[in-house]
Amino acid sequence: MRRTPGTPEVRVPRLVSLMAVDARETAEARGVLLAAPDRPDFPSTVVDYVVRQFPQPGAEVPRGAVVTVWFDLGDAEGGAGVREPRPPRPPSGGMRRELDRPGEPFEVLG
């Protein structure tokens, strides 16, 4: 990126975890523009959350620079993952192994 002398620098705001509408407002207030390659309808996107951005928050860029944001992690980058039990399971035991089995609550003395 070529910088001309006297170009005012701005710091990139943290946009991750913001809704699309809030990310646009924050970027505008800080003097940067937003682009979203995974959302062709980005100007009308409102409630989707930003999950990644480039450049990273705190980077110094010229005023009016473009910050790229993504709203979807995609297939290869993780996400919530599978929520079913997967082998290997933890070994049995734990607290059940350490405690005696409960007996009669009141022991009758003879």
Side-chain angles (χ1 to χ4, degrees):
M1 180 180 301
R2 186 175 177 191
R3 296 184 182 146
T4 57
T7 302
E9 300 281 321
V10 295
R11 290 202 181 269
V12 175
R14 178 178 169 76
L15 303 171
V16 173
S17 78
L18 293 180
M19 288 193 307
V21 66
D22 296 330
R24 283 193 298 268
E25 290 174 1
T26 301
E28 183 180 335
R30 292 288 187 94
V32 294
L33 303 174
L34 289 186
D38 65 337
R39 291 297 163 97
D41 61 340
F42 177 62
S44 62
T45 303
V46 177
V47 295
D48 291 339
Y49 288 87
V50 176
V51 295
R52 190 173 51 170
Q53 76 179 71
F54 182 81
Q56 295 298 318
E60 289 188 2
V61 295
R63 182 173 298 282
V66 175
V67 175
T68 305
V69 293
W70 289 268
F71 293 94
D72 189 8
L73 289 174
D75 295 334
E77 295 187 34
V82 177
R83 302 235 183 232
E84 63 185 51
R86 296 283 186 172
R89 294 193 174 146
S92 61
M95 290 297 289
R96 282 181 278 157
R97 186 175 60 202
E98 298 295 325
L99 299 175
D100 293 332
R101 295 193 65 89
E104 200 55 45
F106 299 104
E107 188 175 329
V108 178
L109 298 174

